[in-house]
């Protein structure tokens, strides 16, 4: 009983999804004396469902997935796990699959009838009615706490991440980017030289703003204005990868953290989204356009400087016709934007 209470105290003491997931999967592995355990992300892309390991616990060590390479592949398809696929289709709470030397237990985490996470227990040695009763109790606490975290981190209208979660998410992107740059083994250097002709993959921050949004509110009313915001958020979710981060900063302004891609691809991705919005029919309102400004994320610079550059690119797009996608460095290179270094700070004008 003492160990159960200790686990519950640790689980409910976190305000971060990753730490919460590590705590709960560690607790489940210890309670069932399993050989290993994983937290799996359940990712929907169109009509396909992919299963991607997020956290792996094996022999007491914890490994986190590299989110910079989080695009799902066919090897991650739920089709590779027919028993899991069938259980998910039936919205089962516990899914069992017998294997040589034991079994795999999958515990889908259903929140508001949506599935984004599945816990996996591999070859549990202590799999009894009593142990599973304790596991089920912990999962109830886990689901409730996930709901509380989601409620505090999400924008109430669009369901996107809210502004107060931006710093934590941005710090994770910087941390991943810095770790990538610090990887310096001989094998990695040789691989980099071999692929030197390939475009460099980096992280990007974009700020987008709905053009003439005040006119929408004034002409059609705030109810239709809110519907435009919700539909823009839906288009964002369907257009970007689960590893990217989408925020509503307030009003008609949104921010995107785009992970691990080349500048050419970043331009194409942002511009394609801008065109998708322009082609989308918004009920009553009709056509809506957006302007986008984006900048490269330097892991050694503060968030405020990078957001400031993206804002400068957005301001240029808004001031020069709207319905445009502008890259900060390209604007500086062309002379459309200028920077002046003064007192170790950059001034924009």
């Amino acid at each position: 009983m003492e160990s159960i209470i200790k686990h519950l105290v640790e689980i409910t003491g976190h305000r971060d999804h990753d730490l919460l997931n590590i705590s709960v999967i560690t607790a489940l592995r210890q309670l069932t004396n399993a050989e290993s355990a994983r937290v799996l992300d359940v990712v929907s892309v169109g009509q396909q469902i992919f299963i991607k390991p997020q956290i792996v616990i094996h022999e007491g060590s914890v490994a986190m997935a590299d989110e910079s390479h989080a695009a799902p592949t066919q090897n991650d398809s739920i089709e590779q796990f027919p028993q899991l696929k069938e259980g998910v289709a039936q919205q089962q709470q516990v899914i069992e699959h017998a294997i040589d030397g034991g079994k795999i237990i999958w515990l889908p985490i259903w929140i508001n009838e949506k599935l984004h996470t599945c816990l996996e227990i591999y070859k549990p040695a202590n799999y009894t009615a009593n142990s599973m009763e304790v596991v089920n109790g912990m999962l109830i606490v886990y689901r409730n706490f996930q709901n509380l975290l989601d409620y505090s981190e999400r924008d109430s209208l669009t369901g996107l991440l809210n502004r107060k979660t931006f710093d934590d998410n941005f710090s994770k992107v910087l941390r991943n980017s810095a770790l990538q740059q610090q990887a310096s083994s001989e094998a990695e250097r040789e691989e980099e030289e071999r692929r030197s002709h390939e475009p460099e993959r980096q992280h990007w921050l974009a700020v987008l703003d709905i053009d003439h949004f005040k006119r929408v509110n004034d002409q059609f009313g705030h109810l239709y204005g809110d519907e435009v915001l919700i539909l823009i958020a839906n288009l964002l979710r369907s257009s970007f990868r689960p590893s990217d981060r989408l925020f509503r900063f307030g009003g008609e302004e949104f921010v995107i953290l785009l992970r691990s891609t080349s500048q050419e691809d970043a331009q194409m991705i942002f511009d394609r989204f801008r065109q998708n919005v322009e082609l989308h029919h918004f009920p009553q309102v009709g056509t809506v356009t957006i302007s986008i400004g984006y900048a490269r994320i330097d892991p050694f610079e503060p968030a405020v400087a990078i957001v400031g550059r993206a804002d400068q690119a957005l301001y240029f797009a808004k001031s020069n016709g709207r319905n445009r996608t502008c890259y900060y460095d390209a604007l500086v290179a062309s002379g459309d934007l200028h920077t002046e270094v003064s007192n170790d700070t950059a001034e924009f004008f």
Side-chain angles (χ1 to χ4, degrees), residues 22-189:
I22 291 172
S23 292
V24 74
I25 200 64
T26 300
L28 296 185
R29 177 182 174 274
Q30 291 177 1
L31 288 168
T32 60
N33 195 21
E35 185 174 310
S36 63
R38 300 192 298 176
V39 178
L40 307 173
D41 282 339
V42 182
V43 180
S44 296
V45 180
Q47 299 299 316
Q48 291 185 294
I49 298 177
F50 298 92
I51 306 296
K52 289 190 60 63
Q54 180 194 14
I55 299 167
V56 179
I57 306 260
H58 183 68
E59 295 182 350
S61 64
V62 179
M64 298 283 295
D66 181 0
E67 292 191 344
S68 65
H69 302 286
T73 67
Q74 287 305 313
N75 290 332
D76 304 313
S77 173
I78 198 172
E79 302 293 336
Q80 306 293 326
F81 311 93
Q83 293 82 6
L84 177 58
K85 178 185 176 183
E86 182 180 354
V88 167
Q90 298 174 4
Q91 294 197 358
Q92 294 178 9
Q93 301 295 322
V94 180
I95 304 168
E96 300 184 17
H97 173 44
I99 57 174
D100 291 339
K103 62 175 65 180
I104 300 175
I105 310 299
W106 287 300
L107 304 167
I109 306 302
W110 298 96
I111 298 178
N112 298 325
E113 298 187 353
K114 294 183 179 180
L115 178 62
H116 299 291
T117 305
C118 180
L119 308 181
E120 178 188 272
I121 303 172
Y122 183 76
K123 291 187 177 180
N126 179 24
Y127 188 64
T128 64
N130 287 339
S131 66
M132 288 310 296
E133 186 176 350
V134 174
V135 167
N136 289 333
M138 282 200 168
L139 291 181
I140 291 172
V141 174
Y142 174 65
R143 289 189 190 95
N144 290 342
F145 212 66
Q146 285 276 33
N147 266 326
L148 288 174
L149 285 181
D150 278 344
Y151 181 78
S152 67
E153 294 179 351
R154 299 283 172 179
D155 172 59
S156 58
L157 178 65
T158 64
L160 300 181
L161 293 169
N162 58 31
R163 186 165 189 164
K164 72 178 182 179
T165 65
F166 173 78
D167 287 341
D168 286 341
N169 279 271
F170 191 81
S171 296
K172 290 179 182 178
V173 171
L174 293 187
R175 189 161 58 247
N176 289 338
S177 184
L179 288 173
Q180 286 176 344
Q181 291 193 17
Q182 290 169 5
S184 57
S185 68
E186 288 295 327
E188 288 169 336
R189 282 202 295 268

Side-chain angles (χ1 to χ4, degrees), residues 80-320:
Q80 306 293 326
F81 311 93
Q83 293 82 6
L84 177 58
K85 178 185 176 183
E86 182 180 354
V88 167
Q90 298 174 4
Q91 294 197 358
Q92 294 178 9
Q93 301 295 322
V94 180
I95 304 168
E96 300 184 17
H97 173 44
I99 57 174
D100 291 339
K103 62 175 65 180
I104 300 175
I105 310 299
W106 287 300
L107 304 167
I109 306 302
W110 298 96
I111 298 178
N112 298 325
E113 298 187 353
K114 294 183 179 180
L115 178 62
H116 299 291
T117 305
C118 180
L119 308 181
E120 178 188 272
I121 303 172
Y122 183 76
K123 291 187 177 180
N126 179 24
Y127 188 64
T128 64
N130 287 339
S131 66
M132 288 310 296
E133 186 176 350
V134 174
V135 167
N136 289 333
M138 282 200 168
L139 291 181
I140 291 172
V141 174
Y142 174 65
R143 289 189 190 95
N144 290 342
F145 212 66
Q146 285 276 33
N147 266 326
L148 288 174
L149 285 181
D150 278 344
Y151 181 78
S152 67
E153 294 179 351
R154 299 283 172 179
D155 172 59
S156 58
L157 178 65
T158 64
L160 300 181
L161 293 169
N162 58 31
R163 186 165 189 164
K164 72 178 182 179
T165 65
F166 173 78
D167 287 341
D168 286 341
N169 279 271
F170 191 81
S171 296
K172 290 179 182 178
V173 171
L174 293 187
R175 189 161 58 247
N176 289 338
S177 184
L179 288 173
Q180 286 176 344
Q181 291 193 17
Q182 290 169 5
S184 57
S185 68
E186 288 295 327
E188 288 169 336
R189 282 202 295 268
E190 290 175 4
E191 180 69 10
E192 287 177 5
E193 290 175 6
R194 185 182 68 82
R195 297 191 299 178
S196 60
H197 64 283
E198 297 180 2
E200 184 180 4
R201 301 174 70 84
Q202 300 188 41
H203 302 312
W204 308 89
L205 183 145
V207 181
L208 70 88
D209 189 271
I210 301 174
D211 297 328
H212 302 298
F213 186 67
K214 184 178 183 300
R215 185 184 302 170
V216 172
N217 280 329
D218 291 345
Q219 184 174 350
F220 300 100
H222 288 276
L223 188 62
Y224 282 102
D226 286 349
E227 185 175 29
V228 167
L229 294 171
I230 292 170
L231 292 173
I232 292 286
N234 291 342
L235 288 170
L236 279 166
R237 273 187 287 264
S238 64
S239 300
F240 290 89
R241 302 167 299 182
S243 59
D244 301 323
R245 293 293 182 263
L246 310 172
F247 304 83
R248 183 188 175 201
F249 258 39
E252 66 271 30
E253 188 174 74
F254 299 82
V255 169
I256 304 164
L257 294 182
L258 183 66
R259 296 171 183 250
S260 190
T261 191
S262 66
Q263 190 275 319
E264 292 82 3
D265 285 344
Q267 176 75 34
M268 179 192 70
I269 290 167
F270 291 136
D271 213 39
R272 182 175 58 200
F273 176 71
R274 178 190 61 79
Q275 293 168 1
N276 288 343
V277 172
E278 184 180 15
L279 294 173
H280 187 81
H281 176 75
F282 293 81
Q284 187 68 27
V285 176
T287 299
V288 171
T289 64
I290 60 171
S291 297
I292 302 175
Y294 72 100
R296 179 179 60 86
I297 294 178
D298 185 330
F300 305 104
E301 282 194 300
V304 64
I306 300 167
V307 173
R309 290 176 185 145
D311 265 330
Q312 287 289 317
L314 172 64
Y315 181 79
F316 182 87
K318 300 283 282 188
S319 302
N320 290 269

